[in-house]
Every structure is written in C-alpha cells, then in structure tokens.
Amino acid sequence: MLGLLGGSATVGLAGCSALLGDENGDDDSGGSGDYEVSEHADKAQAAWQTVVDNPGPDAEETRNEAYVEIEEAVRDDMVLLPLYHSKGERFWYDYVDIPEHGALGSHHQQFNEVELEGDSELNLLNSSFDELDPIMSTDTASGIVITQLYETLTHYPNGVAEVENQLIEGVETSEDSQTWTFTLKEGVQFHDGQELTADDVVYSFRRLAESEYSERANFILDTPLGLGIEYEEGEDGGVAPDSIGVEAVDDRTVELTLREPNPAVLDILTYDGFAIVPEGIVGDIEGYDGEVDHDEFRTGMANGTGPFQFDGFTPGEEMRVVRNDNYHGTAASVESVHWEINEDPESRFTYAMEQNADVFDIPTSQYDPELIDAEEDDMGREVGTYGPFENDEETNYLAVPELGTYYFAFNVTNVPRPVRQAIAYVVNHEELIQDVLSERGFEAFSFTPPRMWPTGDDGYDQWVDEWPYGVNETDIEGAREVLEETDYTSDDPFEMTAATYESAPEYAEMAELIRQKLGDLPVEINNNSTQFSTLQDRGEDGDLEMYSLGWVWSWPDVAYGHFGFEPKNTNTSEMPNSATGYYLDWQANLDEEA
Amino acid sequence: MSRWGYFFRRLLLSIPVLFLVMTFIFVLLRMGPVDPVAARLGPEATGAEAARMRERLGLNDPLWEQYVDFVTDFLVLDLGQSWVVYADWEVTTIVMNSGPPTLWLGFWAILLPLFIGIPLGFYAGLRPNSWSDYTASVSGILWQAMPNFWLCIILLAVLRQTQGGGWLGFDWYAFGPEIRSITGTPSLDFLSWSNPFGAVPFPTGIDWSALAVDVKLILPPALVLGSASMAAELRIGRTAILETINSNYVETARAKGLKSRAIVWKHVFRNALIPLVPVITNEAFLLIGGSVIVESIFNINGLGRIFFRAMVQGDLPLAGALLFIFTLIIIFLNIVQDFLYTIIDPRVGYER
C-alpha cells in the first residue's frame, strides 16, 4: 500500500495519518455496516454504467436520466451533503464597460470587448503565477492571462456555458462518434505573423500529451476526465512519441481519433492546455529542437493567436499585454492590459480603492451585503450596483453562480447511514451561508450546480422541492427519528471527526455550527483542521469519517463531476492509482462487492 | 588568540550550524504534512499525473538519497530549481529578483529607528522625569505594543483615504514625488550601471526622482517593520544615557570644567552606544522574520514573502536555499557585531 502511494516521500505522511486514524479507531467496533443498505449504491453503479454505455449524441436524454439517478442515490444514501455553490463576484468602476461573465468564471473572458473611458490601459489585479506555457497552467491566475494570449479550437465566450468555435470554422464527427474532423478558420495569424495551420494543432496537442512539462496530460489521455484520445504506450509506460490520435489531413483540417465516444469533446477542447502554439516553438517533445528554450517560452515570451500579445512579465510583481492589431476577431478597444500581482486582501482592497484597479473583488472583511442593489437576470446572475465605498464611489456589481460545489462527504464504512442523514437533517443551508459566508455563496442541494442541472431549471426546482431533509431549516425531529433506529444514546453517542483543511477555514466554522446544532442528539463531532494534503492522504487511506472538499467544473459536463460517485471508483484501497473518485468507499455497500 | 584566529573559529563554528539548519529544514519539509506535488497540481490532478510529477522532482528516491543530494547540492552552491512557488525557476534567479526589495526594506527599517529611536531616547535620557521624557517613553511603549500586521492595515487604511486631499488637505499621494499606489514593489532602478572596468558593472549615475519614489514607497512598510526596534532603541538609549550621565567619569569631566556639550558628545554619547550595538544587530535578525507580514500586506515582492510561501507549500529547494542565505546573513551579522564592539569600545578586544 505504501509503495503504491508513491515511495518514501509519503511514508512519513501515511504513518502520520495512520496515527491520526487510530485516535478514532474505536468507532468501527459498533459495526456501522449494520445500518447500510445496498439499493442506493447499486442504483448509482447501474446509472454510471448507463452513462458509460450511451456516449452517443442521440442518447443525451438517457444520460440525463442516469445523472439524476446518481444524484438521487447520493441524496438518499447521504454519502455527500452539498453545502453551497460558488458565487463569483465582480465590482467595476463606472468608466469601464466590461461584458458580464457567465457561470464558468471570469478567467474565460477575453478583454477585446472591454471599453474604457478616458484611459487606454485596462488595469486589473491578479494572484501570483509563474508560467505562460498553456500546458503548465493549472490555476485561474495564469488562465486569465493565457486566455488573452493563446486561443483554443473552441471556447466559452465570456465564460458563458455555451461552447462556440474559436479557431475552427466547423466540425464533423464520424458515425461512431470516435473520429472528429475540424476545419480551421482561415487567415488566423500568430503574433509573429505566421499563419495558423493544422500542424500547429498537432504539435500543441502532442505537447499536452507528451511533454515533461505538461501538468494536465490526463485531460487529453484519460476518460471521462479528459478526451480519451487514442495513443500507444511507450517503453517507459508513458505516451509513445507521435502516437496520439491527432493528424493533419491538410493545411486546414485536423482529425482527432478517440478510444471511445465522448460527448464532451468540444467542451474539453476549451481547456487552456489545448491552446494552440506555433509548431516547433520549444523542443520538449521528440522531433523538435525548439526555436526558444523552455525557460524563455514559459515566462519571457508568448506567440499565440489571441487578441493581445506579450509585452512584459515580472513574476510576483506585474504582467502587461498589448493589443494585437492583426487579431482574427474583433480587435481590442483598449491598447493594453496590466495586471498588478497581489495576494494580500487588504493590499488588494487598497489598490482598488486608489482606483488603480478598474475591475476588482473585495475581501469579506470589507464586504457588506447591505450595500448591494442588484436584480436577478435570466441566467441567475445578480446584476446591479454596490456602494458607496469608502472613497465615495459606487461601482457596478455582478454576482454569478459559478460551477463549483463545496460539500461535506462521508466515508460510508466509517459513518453509519442514520448518522449521515441526521447531519443532513440538522443542516440549514441558508443559515450556514449567512453566518459563515456573509452570503457569498449560493445554497446547494445537489452536487451538480443548478446551471447545468441535467433536466433544466424546472427539473432543478422540483429537485429542491423534493429535498427530504428540510430545505433551509434545522429539522431536529427528523434527525432524532433516524437516530432512534440506532443503538446510540446521549450517554454513548456516535463519535466522529469532521476533517477540514486550513486553507478553507469556512468549513471548520460550518462543522462547528453543525456540532452545536446536534445538541443532545447521540452524535458527537470533533473538529479537526489539517493541511489540505494531509486530508487527501487520509482520504486515500480510507481514514476519513466526515470531511470537507470542493469540486470546480472546468467544463460544464455532468460526468466531469459524477465520475467520482461511481461506487467502484470510490474504493479508497485502490487510490490514488486505479480509483479516482471521492473518498466514500461506497463500493462497500454494493450488493456484490467489486 | 589573534583576531584572525578568532575570526576563523567563528567561521568554522558556522559550518555545524549551517549543517544543522539544513537537516532541520529537510526533516521539516520532507517528513511533515505538506506535499509539494499536491500544492503544485491542485485537487483536479489524477494519481497518475501526481506520480509523474513525483518522479520528475525525484520524490520517489529513497529518503536518505534525497537528503544526501539536498546537502551536497548546497555544499557546491548549486541551489537548484524551485518546485512549487516559482515552479522550475532557478533559485538564484528568484533570489536575484526578490532580494533587492527585501534589502531595501531592511535598510530603511534599520535606518529609520536609528535616526528616530536613538535621538529620542537620548533626548529623554538627558531630561529624565520631565514631561518630554514621559511623552517620549509612553509613546515608545505604545508604539512597541502595536502588532505589525495591525499597524500595516491601519497605515494602509489611513494613507489611502488621503487620496485627493484628506485631513487638512494632506494628500500622501501628491506629497513629494507622485505615486500611483502605496503598495507595490519598489523598482530600484535609480542607479544607472555601466561596465567601464570590464565585466563588473559599476554604478555611474543616480536618477534622483526615481530614488525619491522608491524611498517614498518604502517608508510606510519600513516604519512598521522598524516600529518595534524604534521603541526598543528609545528605551535602551534612555537607560544607557541615564547610567553614563551619573557615572564618576562624567562627574570628573564636569569637575574639570568641560562644557556640557563636550561631555555629552565625547563622553556620554559614545559610552551609551555600547549596549545599543547588540540591540541593533539583533534587530536585523528580526527583520528577516518580520518582513513576511509587511511584505505581503504592502505587496512587496521580497524574500520574506517567498520564504513563507515556500514553507507552506513544501517547496524544499527554495525554502532550503533561502534559509541557507538567511543563516549566512545572521552569521555574518554576528561577526559584524563583534567588529563594531572593538571600534566603539577599545577595551573590548579579542585577546583574553
């Protein structure tokens, strides 16, 4: 087991988490399995199988039904309790005209549509990042910048969850949905004047799959967490050079071959890692020497097709891009975009109050929900004004329900079902969001966010109506009732640890609120806040009981979140190698164990 | 023992210190709970991706082998590449980029207290138990009691509200050289360099307005960072003056008819400085740790902030290199301290 975890480095960690686990080891003596039923896990397993078996474009309805079944199984077995969906907020001064962004987040927005009154440079704040190489980008900070410089075949304009062509004119799929043929747009030029060709696409995709610098190779190789492209394995177990299923048919036609049908291809291709760079620019894959070395490519230059081109980058301090006048789309109105890199909330707020940042966010310490004057639009966004700020300015305000879900989940072999349900009964979503988040979140009753709910808005409303654990109320009686089935009493309660992590302190506060709510019920929660990686390690060891985590969708595909619920994929004894799901050990409840 | 012998003994003693420090940081980061791969790849990475990264960073080698590599690399001054904070960057480049702002901040954080704290302390010491003494002492204690992070935030909030004219029309932004923001990294390009003597660049000119901007930018954070030292120097300076002014040799000097100005400058001042030397050099150590908070709140891209991020994200090569540098600085400062003693007080010597 330790060997599987990845060598000596984790030995210390595993030992450490084993120790932590021992403290609560006596919980198992009760035999929590007594309270488990198999129907829900079986239902989830069957539903996931349906999703996998029906990948075709015509089977969308079948898949959507299966997704709802998975949500039902999760809810009824209460393996995971959704708490809130992320709320992306943005404030901007009146002299800026910036399109409202959608549920996928502002880092998908290209700034060529931004207009400024009385200034030619758009000034923004950003967090620290250290790379402009698309295949190394895993964070939104670099994503925001890379989106201005490089482009992908398809994209989400302004982060609205409807995929559109960016560098392609059209796409055709074969009968079996495994071959995708893309026609590239004509007359697209890189910043250095070269024309975009199919070879550039092949080269860029090969880098994502083969380069040692690639940090998201799984997005092109794996499925369902990626494209699932065809490839041959090399001698060292990696990808054999030039073996992936992408081919330049002619100058403007690219053919993509997948191992199995994948309904989310166009969505996945929007990911930064699939951005097109000119062929041969770096020599990190076989067959290329590289025009520049990788250090230079990572931080010293950029040569994409985006509406802005590289001007200067000082990591930890600032980044500037200037307008690309030969842009194939609408050329930008602003001449340049400047990001001040700043991570301290007070300092960021100061920078914004000085009107050095035109568009900004504000820290919770300076946030007052009373100052918002906004109305909901047809996309569930709150649009309006906020203010006055301390500098007497009133700004525009936008709050977007983003595709992220934050939750408490349970390892079902460590926490019996009645206890899991009791927790769900006592949780009052509205109260948690008000008290802990100062209303900076949206109530979550499902894992899949409402904006991408498989059966639409009406389906989601119905789902909330049917929520059995009390919508926005603390149902102590309901909790008492389910716990009466068990042998736990106030004198001998069920004890469990709620594991949270320090970088997200709100979870610990929520767990504390839940602990207080339980009152004299026979369940006792101990709060334990650790490092994020410790929580991951304990999850993979199957040591967790109740734990907090979040999931953020990089593209709006339900399967991109639901793969983690497939009971056989939640087997912690196979993590982190062959199982990639959430730390639930839900396979234990299956009728016939895997 | 000769001075050189003493010097070399200090230098030799620093080797086990360095070695212990390196071992300590290795144990802390490689066996503690922080995982650099998780920090770098984020929660969306799969196990296979993480395994590839582990292999690339050499985390799959036996622990003792990693330790030997880690230590030998430092011995040959190969500081390596950062793992997480500035992934794959040469540590030397990071230090070259972020070292100067920290030095600039440290320089002013030592200089300001020297020129405010010590004169105030001496002033108070020369007029003991007067109202001016009370005012100086009490405000010194208050100043020291205020925590740095709080001072930073208050200073930001007060200064930013003077924009466009605050109390009595005072506007920090327009006061002196104009600045865009009170936060940010000083550019430090006020010196123009050229290479008249071959490869080594040599400063040939100063851009005074750029220097003024850099000084103005660094004053608020330096004031906060130096606040504790300022108060300490004030109090110790006051006590030192009181002690010397009542000593016999001062009385003798007065008896032989020396002017009080000569007494103060020649006899009191110099002797009162002796207890201040270790205070000042010790504060230089504190600056290294204290700069973490001040650098992040004032958004200065300096070593303190990077060191903190390297520690919490398990960036072993970067944290190790910075600690190595900090240790070198501290050992160096210790030697400077001994040196200063001999200059100020000829009685203190290396000979026993």
Side-chain angles (χ1 to χ4, degrees), chain A residues 4-16:
Chain A
L4 286 178
L5 272 171
S8 50
T10 31
V11 171
L13 301 175
C16 157

Side-chain angles (χ1 to χ4, degrees), chain A residues 415-444:
Chain A
V415 183
R417 183 161 177 260
V419 174
R420 305 196 298 261
Q421 289 181 318
I423 302 280
Y425 274 114
V426 299
V427 163
N428 176 344
H429 287 79
E430 194 179 11
E431 189 185 61
L432 282 186
I433 289 168
Q434 234 165 40
D435 291 0
V436 180
L437 299 176
S438 312
E439 298 185 22
R440 308 188 88 172
F442 292 97
E443 296 147 17

Side-chain angles (χ1 to χ4, degrees), chain A residues 211-260:
Chain A
S211 167
E212 60 164 322
Y213 299 108
S214 175
E215 293 183 16
R216 285 289 186 260
N218 54 319
F219 278 6
I220 189 166
L221 301 175
D222 296 358
T223 179
L225 235 89
L227 278 184
I229 204 166
E230 220 178 53
Y231 70 96
E232 281 161 33
E233 233 169 73
E235 287 154 26
D236 55 347
V239 181
D242 208 9
S243 71
I244 61 167
V246 55
E247 215 178 317
V249 179
D250 61 46
D251 259 7
R252 284 182 46 225
T253 315
V254 185
E255 204 176 77
L256 210 61
T257 318
L258 309 180
R259 297 197 298 276
E260 49 192 83

Side-chain angles (χ1 to χ4, degrees), chain A residues 452-472:
Chain A
M452 48 188 276
W453 186 254
T455 53
D457 284 354
D458 292 340
Y460 182 74
D461 288 344
Q462 192 190 341
W463 171 268
V464 175
D465 287 342
E466 287 171 5
W467 181 254
Y469 305 106
V471 174
N472 293 335

Side-chain angles (χ1 to χ4, degrees), chain B residues 199-264:
Chain B
V200 183
F202 195 78
T204 46
I206 292 184
D207 177 351
W208 292 103
S209 66
L211 175 67
V213 168
D214 282 345
V215 171
K216 185 172 170 183
L217 206 52
I218 214 71
L219 276 183
L223 197 69
V224 174
L225 192 54
S227 64
S229 334
M230 204 184 298
E233 281 165 22
L234 186 152
R235 286 171 47 217
I236 291 172
R238 178 179 177 272
T239 322
I241 286 281
L242 278 179
E243 260 172 33
T244 39
I245 213 158
N246 293 323
S247 56
N248 294 335
Y249 61 83
V250 172
E251 206 147 314
T252 313
R254 200 171 283 145
K256 74 178 179 185
L258 265 183
K259 283 182 191 159
S260 56
R261 173 182 298 246
I263 295 174
V264 169

Side-chain angles (χ1 to χ4, degrees), chain A residues 6 8-9 13 128 130 212 214-217 298 315-316 341 344 347 350-351 354 356 390 533-534 554 560 576, chain B residues 30 32-33 40-41 44 47 49 52 56 60-61 85-89 160 173 180-182 296-297 299 309:
Chain A
S8 50
L13 301 175
S128 180
D130 52 24
E212 60 164 322
S214 175
E215 293 183 16
R216 285 289 186 260
R298 191 182 54 216
I341 296 168
D344 182 81
S347 176
T350 299
Y351 194 78
E354 295 168 334
N356 282 319
E390 58 171 49
S533 53
T534 309
S554 295
Y560 182 58
Chain B
R30 292 302 296 117
R40 177 150 167 195
L41 292 180
E44 284 176 60
E49 205 71 0
R52 261 165 45 114
R56 210 180 115 205
N60 287 339
D61 302 338
V85 178
Y86 285 115
D88 295 336
W89 276 62
R160 77 173 172 239
Y173 294 83
R180 214 164 69 98
S181 173
I182 44 177
S296 42
I297 299 186
N299 197 32
R309 287 177 54 201

